[in-house]
């Protein structure tokens, strides 16, 4: 993906998240100088398999597993500082060098314990399916202009005054939601006092850092969390996350102009999954859904929640291609379909006997659609050893070719397993 014309590449999930972005970023990061996480928080996990080892990264970009990449947490991230240092420690204990390789934006907002209490309170009433890690309330504080940014730790006196006001406000709201637990000012002061000396040496103007890297012709990879259908503006609202997960959010969340981005790679599974609440039109019938879940290991990397599983939904990915401006696709987990006799693909929706032109924007309408399927012959043989498109069974090639035609975006990568080497780059 990197050449003289594409020195800045965005990788986004093009479904509901959990598409395997971590593996794609890991593969692309081998050629990247800088890898940037541009939004989200510790509510999203990227899973990367190296040999016999599995790494689950919640906040640190997947590029940390390559010793040459600098990893950046951009201003669009909401940071759980304790979680960040736990993650760094776990990587160090497993032989991954992190010293001098992680930078944090001075404009990134902090997720604090009172945010997690408010998240739990909100979930009791809304049942959106959040991870209760404080992400939504942290973004609420950000847009309500009461948030505490990483750079604010340089001026602890004024920061603690604002913190006290925020905790008082939280403790007023918590009983209204039926919560008996209260936020402790002392706990928060102790937390910020403890993490500030460790965090501040990592802090810089990361937007300027990325801008300078691009001027020096370095290769920059921007990675998002979750997927396009969880974008707060373009997703299946209200069953969405609290940030912009689409490619437009990469520019804002990294602190660079949109013209600096040269390519957008959308990652999709060869089928479809969703964790949490909200409609999933192409949901498979129970026996096949369980089979997909079992074969694909479809459980949340952060929460362990089982994902709902269904067939590839072209309506979803067509929409995602439009709102992200995708220039390429990466299809993951093709090997999960190896044992199926036939494979349905959702090619359209019907509502009341009428064909939808595209995915409805209202969640109630989306929940009411009837998927229209075309069925493809299964290949009934393992694909895990394929390293070129020509190595794949003909029915698997035909399946991929049809997805490419449906979505009108060229397939650049195909993943046939969890290991680094189990990936096919189109044309090679």
């Amino acid at each position: 993906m990197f050449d003289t014309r594409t020195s800045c590449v965005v990788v986004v999930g093009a479904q509901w998240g959990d598409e395997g972005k971590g593996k794609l970023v890991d593969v692309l990061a081998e050629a990247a100088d800088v890898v940037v996480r541009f939004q989200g928080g510790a509510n999203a996990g990227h899973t990367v398999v190296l040999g016999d080892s599995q790494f689950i990264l919640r906040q640190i970009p997947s590029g940390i597993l390559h010793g040459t990449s600098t990893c950046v947490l951009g201003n669009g991230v909401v940071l759980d500082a304790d979680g960040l240092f736990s993650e760094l420690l776990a990587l160090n204990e497993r032989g991954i060098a992190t010293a001098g390789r992680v930078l944090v934006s001075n404009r990134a907002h902090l997720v604090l314990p009172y945010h997690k209490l408010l998240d739990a309170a909100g979930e009791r009433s809304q049942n959106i399916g959040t991870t209760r890690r404080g992400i939504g309330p942290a973004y609420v504080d950000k847009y309500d202009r009461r948030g505490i940014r990483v750079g604010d730790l340089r001026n602890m006196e004024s920061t603690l005054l604002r913190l006290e006001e925020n905790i008082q406000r939280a403790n007023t709201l918590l009983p209204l939601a039926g919560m008996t637990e209260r936020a402790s000012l002392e706990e928060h002061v102790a937390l910020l006092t403890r993490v500030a000396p460790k965090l501040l040496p990592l802090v810089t103007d990361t937007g300027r850092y990325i801008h300078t890297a691009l001027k020096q012709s370095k290769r920059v990879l921007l990675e998002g969390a979750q997927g396009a259908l969880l974008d707060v503006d373009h997703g299946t609202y209200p069953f969405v996350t609290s940030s912009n997960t689409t490619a437009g959010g990469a520019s804002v969340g990294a602190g660079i102009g949109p013209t600096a981005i040269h390519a957008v790679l959308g990652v999709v599974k060869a089928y479809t999954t969703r964790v949490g609440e909200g409609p999933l039109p192409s949901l498979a019938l129970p026996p096949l859904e369980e089979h997909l879940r079992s074969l694909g290991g479809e459980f949340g990397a952060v929460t362990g929640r089982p994902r709902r599983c269904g067939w590839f939904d072209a309506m979803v990915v067509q929409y995602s291609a439009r709102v992200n401006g995708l220039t390429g696709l990466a299809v993951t987990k093709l090997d999960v379909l190896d044992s199926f006799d036939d494979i349905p693909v959702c090619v359209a929706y019907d509502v009341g006997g009428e064909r939808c032109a595209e995915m409805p924007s209202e969640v109630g309408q989306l929940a009411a659609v009837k998927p229209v399927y075309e069925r493809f012959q299964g290949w009934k043989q393992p694909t895990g050893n394929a390293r070129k498109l020509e190595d794949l069974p003909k029915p698997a090639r035909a399946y991929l070719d049809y997805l490419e035609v449906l979505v009108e975006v060229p397939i650049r990568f195909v993943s046939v397993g969890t290991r680094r080497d189990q990936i096919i780059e189109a044309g090679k």
Side-chain angles (χ1 to χ4, degrees):
M1 287 293 290
F2 288 104
D3 58 34
T4 55
R5 296 160 298 169
T6 58
S7 59
C8 186
V9 177
V10 181
V11 176
V12 295
Q15 296 161 313
W16 276 282
D18 310 309
E19 300 96 346
K21 296 181 295 299
K23 178 181 177 179
L24 263 294
V25 171
D26 173 64
V27 169
L28 293 172
E30 187 173 9
D33 301 297
V34 182
V35 184
V36 184
R37 170 81 175 270
F38 64 81
Q39 50 74 225
N43 58 334
H46 287 170
T47 302
V48 180
V49 176
L50 303 184
D52 296 327
S53 298
Q54 183 183 79
F55 294 83
I56 297 176
L57 302 168
R58 293 178 171 84
Q59 297 182 96
I60 299 174
S62 308
I64 198 68
L65 301 177
H66 291 276
T68 58
S69 300
T70 298
C71 293
V72 174
L73 296 167
N75 56 273
V77 167
V78 288
L79 181 74
D80 183 326
D82 261 349
L84 172 66
F85 290 112
S86 294
E87 209 169 322
L88 288 170
L89 178 61
L91 287 167
N92 293 336
E93 289 176 344
R94 298 178 68 179
I96 305 298
T98 62
R101 296 185 54 214
V102 177
L103 299 175
V104 178
S105 172
N106 52 7
R107 293 177 169 87
H109 281 247
L110 288 169
V111 177
L112 297 170
Y114 76 86
H115 292 129
K116 297 175 184 180
L117 290 175
L118 290 171
D119 201 356
E123 187 63 15
R124 288 181 62 174
S125 59
Q126 288 184 289
N127 194 30
I128 296 296
T130 77
T131 59
R132 304 190 182 202
R133 292 178 180 266
I135 309 304
Y139 277 113
V140 168
D141 274 3
K142 174 178 179 174
Y143 291 112
D144 204 23
R145 298 176 294 279
R146 66 173 70 250
I148 294 174
R149 303 199 297 182
V150 170
D152 294 335
L153 297 180
R154 298 191 192 282
N155 188 349
M156 194 66 79
E157 184 176 350
S158 63
T159 296
L160 293 181
L161 289 174
R162 194 176 340 142
L163 175 66
E164 184 174 7
E165 293 174 358
N166 289 354
I167 288 177
Q168 288 175 352
R169 179 175 178 274
N171 284 338
T172 300
L173 295 173
L174 288 168
L176 300 178
M179 296 284 286
T180 58
E181 196 170 355
R182 300 292 180 268
S184 162
L185 177 61
E186 292 74 17
E187 176 192 355
H188 284 74
V189 171
L191 169 65
L192 295 188
T193 303
R194 174 167 46 82
V195 301
K198 296 189 293 181
L199 184 56
L200 286 174
L202 311 181
V203 174
T204 190
D205 182 343
T206 53
R208 182 180 180 183
Y209 177 86
I210 298 164
H211 175 76
T212 301
L214 289 170
K215 285 184 68 176
Q216 295 171 347
S217 299
K218 292 185 178 180
R219 294 159 298 189
V220 176
L221 185 61
L222 308 177
E223 69 164 350
Q226 292 102 11
L229 275 295
L230 294 177
D231 185 284
V232 69
D233 284 296
H234 302 291
T236 48
Y237 191 89
F239 301 104
V240 293
T241 193
S242 304
S243 57
N244 288 114
T245 61
T246 43
S251 172
V252 176
I256 56 175
T259 55
I261 295 170
H262 304 122
V264 182
L265 180 68
V267 186
V268 296
K269 281 177 181 165
Y271 49 103
T272 306
T273 65
R274 179 167 193 167
V275 71
E277 303 299 320
L280 179 63
S282 64
L283 182 68
L285 295 175
L288 291 174
E289 183 195 13
E290 182 55 41
H291 192 45
L292 280 169
R293 183 182 297 118
S294 175
L295 289 173
E298 297 297 352
F299 299 89
V302 171
T303 64
R305 291 182 295 179
R307 299 171 185 142
R308 287 175 287 156
C309 299
W311 308 111
F312 188 91
D313 190 331
M315 297 289 280
V316 165
V317 184
Q318 287 168 1
Y319 171 75
S320 186
R322 174 169 67 81
V323 298
N324 283 292
L326 297 183
T327 60
L329 281 180
V331 179
T332 64
K333 291 196 170 183
L334 183 69
D335 55 299
V336 172
L337 301 180
D338 286 351
S339 61
F340 288 87
D341 293 319
D342 66 343
I343 301 164
V345 174
C346 175
V347 298
Y349 297 152
D350 273 349
V351 178
E354 294 187 6
R355 191 67 56 93
C356 292
E358 67 171 21
M359 194 184 75
S361 60
E362 287 79 23
V363 70
Q365 290 181 350
L366 185 62
V369 303
K370 180 180 179 182
V372 178
Y373 290 110
E374 290 191 14
R375 307 186 81 87
F376 281 78
Q377 175 189 347
W379 39 95
K380 301 289 288 183
Q381 56 182 295
T383 57
N385 291 325
R387 296 299 177 268
K388 298 182 294 185
L389 288 177
E390 293 76 14
D391 296 336
L392 292 171
K394 286 185 178 180
R397 287 287 305 277
Y399 181 74
L400 293 171
D401 288 344
Y402 189 63
L403 299 189
E404 194 173 59
V405 169
L406 281 174
V407 180
E408 298 182 330
V409 177
I411 293 174
R412 301 298 189 196
F413 298 92
V414 180
S415 174
V416 292
T418 59
R419 300 194 314 269
R420 271 181 177 171
D421 65 328
Q422 290 180 299
I423 193 158
I424 299 166
E425 186 171 353
K428 291 193 176 183

